[in-house]
Amino acid sequence: LPMCLADTGVVPAVVMATVFAGACVWTMSLVGHSVVLTGQQTYAGMWGQVIGPRTQWFPLLVLVIVTFGCSLGYLCLFAAMMKDLLPQDVIPEWGSPRIWALIVVLPPLLPICMLKDLAALSFVSGPAGVATLYVVGIVLVRALDGTYAEGGRFHHGAVAQPTLHTSLFHVSPKSLQLVNALAIGYLCHYNA
Protein backbone atom coordinates (compact mmCIF):
# COMPACT_ATOMS: atom_id res chain seq x y z
CA LEU A 1 0.00 0.00 0.00
CA PRO A 2 2.76 2.56 0.76
CA MET A 3 4.35 1.91 -2.64
CA CYS A 4 0.94 2.48 -4.26
CA LEU A 5 0.51 5.75 -2.40
CA ALA A 6 3.95 6.93 -3.56
CA ASP A 7 2.60 7.52 -7.08
CA THR A 8 -0.74 9.00 -6.06
CA GLY A 9 -1.45 12.33 -4.40
CA VAL A 10 -3.28 12.46 -1.08
CA VAL A 11 -6.52 13.84 -2.54
CA PRO A 12 -6.95 11.20 -5.30
CA ALA A 13 -5.96 8.45 -2.83
CA VAL A 14 -8.60 9.56 -0.31
CA VAL A 15 -11.19 9.87 -3.11
CA MET A 16 -10.38 6.36 -4.41
CA ALA A 17 -10.52 4.84 -0.93
CA THR A 18 -13.81 6.62 -0.21
CA VAL A 19 -15.36 5.52 -3.51
CA PHE A 20 -14.33 1.89 -2.94
CA ALA A 21 -15.60 1.96 0.65
CA GLY A 22 -18.87 3.52 -0.49
CA ALA A 23 -19.29 0.94 -3.27
CA CYS A 24 -18.61 -1.86 -0.77
CA VAL A 25 -21.18 -0.53 1.71
CA TRP A 26 -23.75 0.17 -1.04
CA THR A 27 -23.48 -3.29 -2.61
CA MET A 28 -23.72 -5.01 0.77
CA SER A 29 -26.82 -2.93 1.60
CA LEU A 30 -28.30 -4.03 -1.75
CA VAL A 31 -27.66 -7.65 -0.78
CA GLY A 32 -29.40 -7.01 2.55
CA HIS A 33 -32.39 -5.42 0.82
CA SER A 34 -32.53 -8.36 -1.59
CA VAL A 35 -32.64 -10.78 1.34
CA VAL A 36 -35.54 -8.85 2.87
CA LEU A 37 -37.46 -8.53 -0.42
CA THR A 38 -37.05 -12.15 -1.54
CA GLY A 39 -37.01 -13.88 1.83
CA GLN A 40 -34.06 -15.96 0.58
CA GLN A 41 -30.83 -16.36 2.56
CA THR A 42 -28.45 -17.33 -0.28
CA TYR A 43 -27.33 -15.76 -3.54
CA ALA A 44 -28.56 -18.79 -5.45
CA GLY A 45 -31.96 -18.58 -3.74
CA MET A 46 -32.32 -14.86 -4.50
CA TRP A 47 -31.22 -15.39 -8.12
CA GLY A 48 -33.59 -18.31 -8.53
CA GLN A 49 -36.55 -16.31 -7.28
CA VAL A 50 -35.80 -13.14 -9.28
CA ILE A 51 -34.19 -14.42 -12.50
CA GLY A 52 -35.17 -18.09 -12.62
CA PRO A 53 -34.19 -21.44 -11.12
CA ARG A 54 -32.44 -22.72 -14.29
CA THR A 55 -29.53 -20.31 -13.82
CA GLN A 56 -29.15 -20.49 -10.02
CA TRP A 57 -25.60 -21.75 -10.51
CA PHE A 58 -24.43 -18.47 -12.08
CA PRO A 59 -23.98 -16.31 -8.92
CA LEU A 60 -22.17 -19.20 -7.24
CA LEU A 61 -19.81 -19.46 -10.21
CA VAL A 62 -19.13 -15.72 -10.03
CA LEU A 63 -18.42 -15.96 -6.29
CA VAL A 64 -16.02 -18.88 -6.82
CA ILE A 65 -14.15 -17.01 -9.57
CA VAL A 66 -13.94 -13.76 -7.57
CA THR A 67 -12.88 -15.58 -4.39
CA PHE A 68 -10.27 -17.56 -6.34
CA GLY A 69 -8.93 -14.33 -7.85
CA CYS A 70 -8.80 -12.67 -4.44
CA SER A 71 -7.03 -15.66 -2.89
CA LEU A 72 -4.59 -15.74 -5.80
CA GLY A 73 -3.90 -12.04 -5.29
CA TYR A 74 -3.20 -12.64 -1.61
CA LEU A 75 -0.99 -15.63 -2.42
CA CYS A 76 1.03 -13.51 -4.84
CA LEU A 77 1.35 -10.79 -2.20
CA PHE A 78 2.41 -13.29 0.46
CA ALA A 79 4.84 -14.97 -1.95
CA ALA A 80 6.44 -11.62 -2.76
CA MET A 81 6.81 -10.84 0.95
CA MET A 82 7.97 -14.34 1.93
CA LYS A 83 10.64 -14.29 -0.80
CA ASP A 84 12.28 -11.40 1.02
CA LEU A 85 11.63 -12.78 4.52
CA LEU A 86 12.79 -16.38 4.11
CA PRO A 87 16.52 -16.94 4.63
CA GLN A 88 18.16 -17.61 1.27
CA ASP A 89 20.01 -20.69 2.59
CA VAL A 90 16.65 -22.32 3.47
CA ILE A 91 15.35 -22.10 -0.12
CA PRO A 92 16.64 -25.02 -2.24
CA GLU A 93 18.52 -24.12 -5.42
CA TRP A 94 16.19 -26.06 -7.75
CA GLY A 95 13.13 -23.91 -7.14
CA SER A 96 12.46 -20.21 -7.46
CA PRO A 97 11.97 -18.28 -4.22
CA ARG A 98 8.39 -17.43 -5.24
CA ILE A 99 7.49 -21.09 -5.70
CA TRP A 100 8.89 -21.94 -2.28
CA ALA A 101 7.08 -19.01 -0.74
CA LEU A 102 3.82 -20.29 -2.22
CA ILE A 103 4.59 -23.75 -0.81
CA VAL A 104 5.07 -22.19 2.64
CA VAL A 105 1.91 -20.04 2.44
CA LEU A 106 -0.55 -22.39 0.70
CA PRO A 107 -0.95 -25.16 3.36
CA PRO A 108 -2.27 -22.88 6.13
CA LEU A 109 -4.34 -20.77 3.74
CA LEU A 110 -6.13 -23.55 1.85
CA PRO A 111 -8.15 -24.97 4.81
CA ILE A 112 -9.23 -21.44 5.78
CA CYS A 113 -10.49 -20.85 2.22
CA MET A 114 -12.52 -24.05 2.40
CA LEU A 115 -14.37 -23.20 5.64
CA LYS A 116 -18.12 -22.88 5.21
CA ASP A 117 -18.54 -21.09 8.53
CA LEU A 118 -15.93 -18.61 9.78
CA ALA A 119 -17.18 -18.95 13.37
CA ALA A 120 -14.48 -21.59 13.82
CA LEU A 121 -11.90 -18.78 13.55
CA SER A 122 -13.54 -16.54 16.17
CA PHE A 123 -11.15 -17.59 18.94
CA VAL A 124 -8.18 -16.14 17.00
CA SER A 125 -9.83 -12.85 16.00
CA GLY A 126 -8.92 -11.05 19.23
CA PRO A 127 -5.30 -12.22 19.34
CA ALA A 128 -4.94 -11.41 15.61
CA GLY A 129 -6.17 -7.86 16.26
CA VAL A 130 -3.73 -7.48 19.18
CA ALA A 131 -0.89 -8.84 17.00
CA THR A 132 -1.75 -6.34 14.26
CA LEU A 133 -1.74 -3.45 16.74
CA TYR A 134 1.59 -4.72 18.13
CA VAL A 135 3.16 -4.69 14.65
CA VAL A 136 1.79 -1.21 13.95
CA GLY A 137 3.21 -0.04 17.29
CA ILE A 138 6.67 -1.48 16.55
CA VAL A 139 6.71 0.08 13.07
CA LEU A 140 5.70 3.47 14.51
CA VAL A 141 8.31 3.32 17.27
CA ARG A 142 11.04 2.38 14.81
CA ALA A 143 9.93 5.02 12.33
CA LEU A 144 10.00 7.72 15.01
CA ASP A 145 13.27 6.69 16.69
CA GLY A 146 15.19 6.87 13.40
CA THR A 147 16.07 3.19 12.90
CA TYR A 148 14.33 3.25 9.48
CA ALA A 149 15.87 6.61 8.49
CA GLU A 150 18.99 6.96 6.36
CA GLY A 151 21.93 5.85 8.46
CA GLY A 152 19.60 4.04 10.87
CA ARG A 153 19.99 0.44 11.99
CA PHE A 154 17.38 -0.98 9.56
CA HIS A 155 17.79 1.42 6.62
CA HIS A 156 20.02 -1.00 4.68
CA GLY A 157 17.24 -3.60 4.59
CA ALA A 158 14.84 -1.41 2.61
CA VAL A 159 13.91 -3.10 -0.65
CA ALA A 160 12.94 0.10 -2.45
CA GLN A 161 12.72 3.73 -1.53
CA PRO A 162 9.49 5.26 -2.86
CA THR A 163 9.66 8.71 -4.36
CA LEU A 164 6.83 10.58 -2.72
CA HIS A 165 5.14 13.26 -4.78
CA THR A 166 4.55 16.54 -3.07
CA SER A 167 1.56 17.32 -5.29
CA LEU A 168 -1.70 16.68 -3.49
CA PHE A 169 -3.45 15.89 -6.79
CA HIS A 170 -0.83 13.73 -8.57
CA VAL A 171 -2.26 10.81 -10.54
CA SER A 172 -0.26 8.50 -12.80
CA PRO A 173 -0.80 5.13 -14.48
CA LYS A 174 0.82 3.61 -11.38
CA SER A 175 -2.18 4.87 -9.39
CA LEU A 176 -3.96 1.77 -10.73
CA GLN A 177 -1.82 -0.20 -8.26
CA LEU A 178 -3.65 1.64 -5.49
CA VAL A 179 -6.97 0.63 -7.06
CA ASN A 180 -5.75 -2.98 -7.06
CA ALA A 181 -4.61 -2.80 -3.42
CA LEU A 182 -7.95 -1.31 -2.34
CA ALA A 183 -9.90 -3.88 -4.33
CA ILE A 184 -8.03 -6.76 -2.71
CA GLY A 185 -8.44 -5.17 0.71
CA TYR A 186 -12.20 -4.80 0.32
CA LEU A 187 -12.62 -8.22 -1.31
CA CYS A 188 -11.38 -10.05 1.76
CA HIS A 189 -13.96 -8.26 3.89
CA TYR A 190 -17.02 -8.95 1.80
CA ASN A 191 -15.96 -12.55 1.17
CA ALA A 192 -15.95 -13.12 4.92
Side-chain angles (χ1 to χ4, degrees), residues 98-109:
R98 282 188 181 253
I99 296 297
W100 286 107
L102 282 173
I103 289 171
V104 168
V105 169
L106 193 58
L109 190 59

Side-chain angles (χ1 to χ4, degrees), residues 1-9 161-167 170:
L1 190 59
M3 293 299 286
C4 299
L5 290 172
D7 290 310
T8 307
Q161 295 294 323
T163 305
L164 297 176
H165 293 279
T166 56
S167 170
H170 180 77

Side-chain angles (χ1 to χ4, degrees), residues 39-87:
Q40 299 292 322
Q41 298 293 316
T42 65
Y43 289 118
M46 287 185 284
W47 185 279
Q49 186 171 343
V50 175
I51 305 296
R54 289 182 40 175
T55 57
Q56 279 184 315
W57 55 269
F58 184 72
L60 301 177
L61 176 67
V62 170
L63 285 174
V64 166
I65 291 170
V66 169
T67 304
F68 175 77
C70 184
S71 297
L72 184 63
Y74 274 114
L75 282 174
C76 291
L77 175 71
F78 293 151
M81 288 189 310
M82 293 298 289
K83 179 179 67 105
D84 295 328
L85 296 175
L86 288 174

Side-chain angles (χ1 to χ4, degrees), residues 92-138:
E93 294 291 325
W94 52 270
S96 77
R98 282 188 181 253
I99 296 297
W100 286 107
L102 282 173
I103 289 171
V104 168
V105 169
L106 193 58
L109 190 59
L110 187 61
I112 293 172
C113 290
M114 298 174 85
L115 284 176
K116 291 185 181 207
D117 183 12
L118 294 179
L121 299 175
S122 64
F123 71 95
V124 295
S125 293
V130 170
T132 302
L133 291 174
Y134 175 76
V135 169
V136 168
I138 293 297

